[in-house]
Amino acid sequence: LTREIDHPQYFVLANGQPVKHVGELAAILDRLEDHVFDHHVRPDNNDFHNWIRDVFQDVELARKVAGVNDKRKLQLVIYKHMAGHE
């Protein structure tokens, strides 16, 4: 979850900022603009869930973040998951 992936698999936020791994996503969430977060986390789709599932193939973490619609909670879920695996 902290390994950098190839450029085509970076997550590019709605503001154009690339995210190279899940740990980086967690680190930037506290300063990510609400409108950017809301663009990626909607009631019918969670882009972060899809990225974690498809690129990192971490089904467990993807399941945990699927219903999270709050930046702080998402950050906590990711950090807790990472701590349990490192």
Side-chain angles (χ1 to χ4, degrees):
L1 294 177
T2 57
R3 70 175 167 82
E4 287 195 24
I5 51 178
D6 293 331
H7 183 271
Q9 294 182 312
Y10 289 177
F11 189 97
V12 180
L13 295 165
N15 64 4
Q17 179 180 357
V19 180
K20 299 172 185 159
H21 55 77
V22 178
E24 184 178 18
L25 173 62
I28 65 163
L29 282 170
D30 56 352
R31 61 184 187 277
L32 186 65
E33 300 97 336
D34 289 339
H35 73 277
V36 173
F37 181 82
D38 293 341
H39 174 83
H40 295 291
V41 178
R42 300 175 305 281
D44 62 331
N45 192 38
N46 184 320
D47 296 334
F48 301 132
H49 161 270
N50 298 339
W51 183 58
I52 292 167
R53 181 195 63 210
D54 298 343
V55 173
F56 294 94
Q57 299 179 353
D58 190 329
V59 176
E60 182 183 347
L61 179 57
R63 180 186 53 77
K64 290 177 183 177
V65 305
V68 177
N69 59 4
D70 176 82
K71 291 188 293 187
R72 300 279 183 203
K73 183 164 172 74
L74 180 59
Q75 189 177 48
L76 182 62
V77 166
I78 292 171
Y79 281 144
K80 279 184 167 182
H81 184 81
M82 288 174 61
H85 287 281
E86 295 184 358

